[in-house]
């Protein structure tokens, strides 16, 4: 394992001018508060990164966040929406309710140390390849900064941190939105680690997933093949039809899958097999239409192979509903904060990891820059989408990864466990804290955001979850 800059080293970049401010000024300056909490951000991010807990299994990560909030005087409501690892932490009274979202689940099947070259960690089969350890830590620091600002200024209002589990395929926020937990929220704020700093009004794709389970008949593959009916044949037939289906879908469609069970030995006809499939599109209704075709493919595959099939919907997210009023203000706050600056040691680390990107490498200087504001379609999906249909919502990305890094990669795991990642979390925390303070003070902005939100949803809007009425799949990662 190669040496790397630890998150603990983040204390080196604490903003020194803050130390010259009077105590009362520090308490009323959210940026100074976040700067003063750099050690906490780094410590919490590192601990959640070390644990790398999967969706709905994040027992230690959620406890850490709740304990940090409780120590700051937040009231904690654990286990909301019938999810043991979901929680709400709240401080304040009266006034507007501003929510900050916090994620903390890792991804299975990927492991990496905080080294700039490929270096899997033995016996560790999950990693923060989407930076949710940074997401949780940065949101925690932002919520604490806003709480201290409310307290110092005597401003009426409530700041809430929503601990939202299982974003990666578990749709934790959807169950929270479905339970009405955002109904009294004026505005929700979120962020994500990325390889750039941006507050662009970027929507995403709606998606739905399910595990399709085929049942067949076992037999000796050589001595009695006529007596068997291969469940794996059912899976493969379904996948073949789905792949042909891709040719006859619109441009914004994304379909992908992984075979999660396919048998144990080639000479045994498998009587059980499973494929985990995703469907995505920019419109939720189009996802529903595509899904009917996917189910028909599964039924046809079972009929053609003499097997039986059933399926369990695992997750489903609506697309992000962009709010331009909020996004433009968040862009202004991000530009006030600025991007991520590297130390000489961090730059050397970044240069080494950038070699692995090949043609995808981008100038390292872009980590310190803010991307132009624009309205665009992103091709990822997030359960923040359902929150955005429940209350006006705004997000930001910060360069917690080296420019050129792709999400869900070993390079993202490495940076998420490095001081560069924690610096990105600090940029996000400052931007979110400034945004929250603006919202508490700016009634005109809140009203404009609500008016835009109502217009975007349209008259007579009724929330429809892509999950239906199923319970949270608490064991889907076991």
């Amino acid at each position: 394992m190669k040496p790397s800059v630890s998150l603990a080293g983040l204390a080196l970049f604490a903003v020194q001018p803050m130390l010259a401010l009077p105590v009362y000024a520090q308490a009323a300056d959210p940026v100074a508060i976040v700067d003063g909490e750099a050690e906490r951000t780094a410590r919490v991010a590192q601990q959640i990164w070390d644990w790398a807990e999967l969706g709905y299994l994040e027992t230690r990560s959620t406890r850490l966040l709740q304990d940090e909030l409780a120590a700051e005087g937040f009231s904690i409501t654990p286990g909301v929406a019938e999810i043991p690892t979901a929680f709400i932490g709240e401080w304040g009274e009266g006034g507007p309710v501003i929510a900050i979202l916090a994620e903390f689940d890792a991804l299975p099947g990927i492991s990496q140390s905080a080294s700039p070259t490929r270096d899997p960690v033995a016996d560790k089969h999950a990693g923060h390849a989407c930076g949710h350890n940074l997401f949780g830590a940065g949101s925690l620091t932002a919520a604490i900064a806003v709480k201290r600002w409310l307290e110092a200024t005597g401003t009426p209002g409530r700041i809430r941190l929503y601990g939202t589990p299982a974003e990666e395929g578990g749709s934790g926020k959807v169950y929270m939105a479905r339970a009405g937990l955002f109904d009294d929220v004026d505005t929700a704020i979120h962020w994500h680690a990325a390889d750039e700093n941006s507050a662009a009004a970027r929507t995403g794709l709606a998606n739905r997933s399910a595990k399709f389970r085929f049942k067949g008949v076992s037999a000796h593959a050589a001595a009695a093949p006529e007596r068997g009916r291969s469940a794996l044949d059912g899976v493969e037939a379904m996948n073949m039809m789905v792949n042909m289906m891709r040719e006859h879908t619109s441009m914004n469609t994304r379909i992908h899958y992984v075979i999660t069970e396919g048998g144990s030995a080639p000479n045994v006809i498998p009587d059980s097999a499973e494929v985990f499939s995703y469907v995505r599109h920019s419109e939720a209704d189009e996802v529903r239409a595509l899904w009917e075709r996917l189910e028909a493919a599964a039924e046809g595959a079972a009929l053609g192979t003499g097997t039986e099939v059933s399926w369990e919907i695992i997750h489903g997210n609506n697309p992000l509903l962009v709010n331009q009023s909020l996004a433009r203000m968040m862009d202004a706050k991000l530009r006030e904060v600025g991007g991520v600056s590297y130390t000489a040691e961090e730059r050397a680390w970044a240069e080494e990891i950038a070699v692995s990107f090949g043609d995808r490498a981008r100038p390292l200087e872009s980590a310190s820059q803010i991307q132009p504001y624009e309205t665009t379609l992103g091709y990822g999906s997030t359960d923040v989408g359902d929150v955005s249909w429940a209350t006006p919502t705004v997000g930001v990305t910060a360069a917690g990864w080296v420019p050129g890094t792709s999400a869900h990669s070993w390079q993202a795991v490495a940076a998420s466990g490095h001081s560069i990642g924690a610096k990105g979390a600090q940029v996000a925390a400052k931007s979110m804290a400034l945004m929250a303070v603006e919202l508490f003070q700016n009634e005109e902005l809140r009203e404009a955001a609500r008016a835009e939100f109502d217009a975007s949803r349209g008259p007579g809007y009724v929330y429809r979850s892509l999950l239906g009425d199923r319970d949270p799949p608490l064991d889907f990662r076991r």
Side-chain angles (χ1 to χ4, degrees):
M1 190 178 298
K2 294 181 180 297
S4 61
V5 180
S6 69
L7 289 181
L10 195 63
L12 295 174
F13 84 91
V15 177
Q16 297 305 314
M18 181 200 70
L19 300 177
L21 292 174
V23 173
Y24 71 87
Q26 293 179 35
D29 180 354
V31 170
I33 297 169
V34 172
D35 277 329
E37 293 299 316
E39 185 280 330
R40 187 203 303 260
T41 304
R43 171 175 53 80
V44 172
Q46 181 67 68
Q47 185 61 81
I48 296 175
W49 186 88
D50 287 340
W51 285 329
E53 296 174 300
L54 298 177
Y56 295 126
L57 306 176
E58 318 99 330
T59 54
R60 291 177 291 180
S61 299
T62 189
R63 174 51 54 193
L64 174 61
L65 293 172
Q66 292 178 51
D67 287 347
E68 294 287 334
L69 287 172
E72 287 287 331
F74 282 72
S75 62
I76 308 297
T77 306
V80 296
E82 300 182 358
I83 301 172
T85 53
F87 70 88
I88 298 174
E90 179 177 298
W91 191 92
E93 58 184 7
V97 178
I98 306 301
I100 296 177
L101 310 182
E103 297 176 6
F104 38 83
D105 63 316
L107 277 159
I110 188 164
S111 176
Q112 170 67 24
S113 73
S115 297
T117 56
R118 189 69 172 105
D119 183 29
V121 180
D123 300 321
K124 187 175 182 179
H125 306 293
H128 276 284
C130 215
H132 293 180
N133 63 311
L134 304 174
F135 194 155
S139 294
L140 169 71
T141 298
I144 289 170
V146 175
K147 175 261 181 181
R148 292 184 186 171
W149 176 85
L150 287 169
E151 190 173 33
T153 60
T155 303
R158 286 166 284 168
I159 182 67
R160 287 183 189 161
L161 186 72
Y162 283 72
T164 62
E167 189 277 335
E168 296 290 356
S171 292
K173 297 181 194 66
V174 178
Y175 297 102
M176 298 171 81
R178 197 179 68 180
L181 299 181
F182 297 95
D183 289 354
D184 66 339
V185 171
D186 288 88
T187 305
I189 304 172
H190 68 102
W191 83 282
H192 208 289
D195 67 338
E196 64 181 21
N197 308 290
S198 175
R202 181 178 293 113
T203 187
L205 302 182
N207 70 340
R208 178 185 279 173
S209 74
K211 293 183 176 181
F212 291 83
R213 297 172 177 129
F214 287 79
K215 298 298 180 185
V217 179
S218 291
H220 194 293
E226 73 284 358
R227 297 173 62 178
R229 296 293 183 269
S230 172
L232 179 58
D233 284 353
V235 165
E236 291 188 307
M238 176 185 172
N239 290 345
M240 180 181 67
M241 286 188 280
V242 168
N243 285 327
M244 289 189 290
M245 175 179 148
R246 296 177 196 271
E247 184 180 359
H248 307 288
T249 61
S250 60
M251 289 295 290
N252 289 342
T253 301
R254 298 289 187 272
I255 304 173
H256 28 272
Y257 58 81
V258 61
I259 296 174
T260 47
E261 181 185 356
S264 301
N267 61 340
V268 179
I269 293 174
D271 63 359
S272 178
E274 179 184 273
V275 58
F276 193 0
S277 301
Y278 274 52
V279 171
R280 308 185 197 237
H281 194 274
S282 54
E283 300 292 335
D285 284 344
E286 185 65 16
V287 168
R288 293 185 177 94
L290 290 163
W291 195 261
E292 291 181 2
R293 296 168 65 185
L294 196 74
E295 291 180 347
E299 291 169 336
L303 180 64
T305 57
T307 59
E308 298 178 353
V309 66
S310 62
W311 53 88
E312 177 189 7
I313 291 178
I314 299 299
H315 91 300
N317 303 330
N318 278 293
L320 275 167
L321 183 62
V322 164
N323 193 296
Q324 296 278 1
S325 302
L326 295 175
R328 291 185 184 281
M329 182 61 74
M330 179 63 90
D331 180 71
K333 300 305 181 185
L334 176 60
R335 293 182 189 282
E336 182 179 340
V337 171
V340 174
S341 298
Y342 296 157
T343 64
E345 188 176 4
E346 288 166 343
R347 184 176 180 87
W349 189 92
E351 287 173 344
E352 187 169 358
I353 204 170
V355 172
S356 67
F357 300 149
D359 293 341
R360 292 187 297 107
R362 295 172 53 201
L364 297 184
E365 289 73 21
S366 65
S368 64
Q369 300 164 357
I370 311 301
Q371 296 301 307
Y373 182 86
E374 60 181 347
T375 302
T376 183
L377 170 66
Y379 285 92
S381 304
T382 172
D383 55 8
V384 176
D386 284 65
V387 177
S388 73
W389 289 87
T391 189
T393 300
V394 65
V396 65
T397 66
W401 302 334
V402 175
T405 300
S406 169
H408 296 199
S409 66
W410 69 261
Q411 294 97 332
V413 182
S416 295
H418 190 267
S419 59
I420 286 174
K423 282 187 171 182
Q426 284 287 99
V427 167
K430 293 174 188 177
S431 302
M432 291 189 293
L434 287 174
M435 185 69 189
V437 167
E438 182 73 33
L439 286 162
F440 279 118
Q441 296 179 311
N442 191 338
E443 182 179 2
E444 184 178 345
L445 175 61
R446 297 197 306 270
E447 291 176 349
R450 177 62 62 171
E452 181 181 340
F453 173 72
D454 291 340
S456 295
R457 294 200 308 178
Y461 170 79
V462 176
Y463 172 68
R464 293 177 64 197
S465 165
L466 282 165
L467 285 168
D469 60 358
R470 72 149 298 153
D471 294 330
L474 301 180
D475 61 352
F476 91 110
R477 289 298 194 196
R478 292 187 186 278

